Amino acid sequence: MIKFPQGFLWGAATSAYQVEGNNANADWWEWEKNSGRFRSGRACRHYEFYKRDFDLAKSLGHNAHRLSIEWSRIEPREGKFSRRELKHYFDVILALRKRNIEPIVTLHHFTNPIWFSKQGGWVKRRSVGYFLRYCDFVTRSLARYVRYWITINEPTIYISHAYIMGVWPPQEKSYLKAIEVEENLASAHIAAFRLMHKIYKELKLDGPYISIAQNMMAFVPGKRDLKNLFAAYLRDRVYNLGFLERIVRHNILRYKAMDFIGVNYYSRQLVELKKFGIPNLAMDVGDGRRHPCERNSLGWDIYPEGLYGVLLELKKYGLPVMITENGICTPDDNLRWNYIRAHLKYIHRAMKKGVNLTGYLYWSLMDNFEWDKGFAPRFGLIGIDYKTYRRTVRKSARKFARVCKTGVLED
Ligand code: IFM
């Protein structure tokens, strides 16, 4: 039996674009129209059904919920902020508060307003100012009801998918642009962090807890020889810690532009170099024959022990850590529960080793729109029938609920 501390945050995460539906002012929406890829359409109609969804979360013992605000709803045209949409998010957050569920609010989760992208998006330096103006508007309005904020979700994933691999809008394949975007996202986070703290002071509120949600992977050398060990080390430094370090220690005074570290963890990457070369160091992966393991329905390796290593590595920053996403897409709900249970065991083990873990948010509360993969991957604790929009609570959700309600994980 494993016991988690009192006050631990338990819940699930979503993002606006993936669940709300009809986000017609977002760049993704525009891209879907022309890319021949999947259309998000009405998604889960969570924009309409959020109260019912939160009732389900409540019944499952969740005391925290991560959601995102869709920038393109709040500022559909440059500089024109929508009071109506702000009121919607205000109601959403209040609906959580009424159910004693702590809101954890993300400000940027992959999507941008169309007007912003048309002006060059995150490649341009002025993106930082635009983002700050939006943060200012939202924070002033919601500060009284929100303590936890994520400024930017998975900056490294956003950069790699949208600017290096070119599989997400704006479908660029340019290292130069990727560097600009990284620079601007880091500056945007740091400036937003300062601004938001200032707003809380002005409003005489207790300080907020602000972070990014950093996607982290276990990089496992297929063979423990020098070149594979080196490549795994390098990938960990660049992919897991590169962006994080820019904001955890962003100047010589080691001023921290983070109040906690949000970690999104899903999988491992098997590092197996075909030869020693720069692209190989960055990219070569093994096919898993040497180290087989179970996989999710997108083919990602299931590797719970990797989370343990990732968490221990974060200890040196001396900050609390929250699992802001961890989850599996699978048609096999038993596998989902095994996945959750195994990851919780490693989280607990890391806590015993001194990692200050404050919460665990499963991805996702419900099945949703998995970006360029459409609706097929099923990540949800709650299943969605996309014809009727009926919600079905999965067995794994009920097993997880027992942990959420008691803080105890039975063996
Ligand atoms: O669905 C995504 C989410 O938007 C960001 N983190 C990973 C999830 C699963 O791919």
Side-chain angles (χ1 to χ4, degrees), residues 14-15 18 66 109-110 153-154 157 168 215 264-266 296 298 300 324-329 363-364 368-371 373 377 379:
T14 58
S15 90
Q18 293 176 272
R66 179 171 167 226
H109 195 119
F110 299 154
N153 180 68
E154 297 179 354
I157 293 281
W168 287 359
N215 186 272
N264 293 359
Y265 177 88
Y266 288 87
N296 75 10
L298 286 170
W300 305 353
T324 38
E325 286 182 28
N326 171 242
I328 178 170
C329 53
W363 182 271
S364 172
N368 59 51
F369 179 69
E370 179 58 18
W371 307 111
K373 306 290 184 307
F379 276 96

Side-chain angles (χ1 to χ4, degrees), residues 9 102-105 146-150 209-210 260 322 358:
L9 294 175
E102 182 77 42
I104 295 154
V105 178
V146 180
R147 275 187 294 190
Y148 291 92
W149 296 92
I150 299 291
Y209 303 105
I210 303 173
F260 70 99
M322 188 191 295
T358 57

Side-chain angles (χ1 to χ4, degrees), residues 27-28 30-37 110 112 117 120-121 123 157-175 177-178 181 372:
D27 56 355
W28 258 88
E30 197 68 5
W31 183 72
E32 283 167 18
K33 281 201 261 176
N34 308 318
S35 68
R37 303 285 305 174
F110 299 154
N112 303 295
S117 295
V123 177
I157 293 281
Y158 177 67
I159 296 165
S160 61
H161 285 56
Y163 290 92
I164 296 177
M165 297 188 286
V167 291
W168 287 359
Q171 282 195 289
E172 298 276 1
K173 288 186 184 173
S174 156
Y175 283 106
K177 286 191 180 163
V181 172
D372 57 320

Side-chain angles (χ1 to χ4, degrees), residues 88 222 229 257 275 322 378 395-396:
H88 169 77
L229 283 167
K275 62 175 189 200
M322 188 191 295
R378 300 281 179 164
K395 279 198 182 124
S396 55

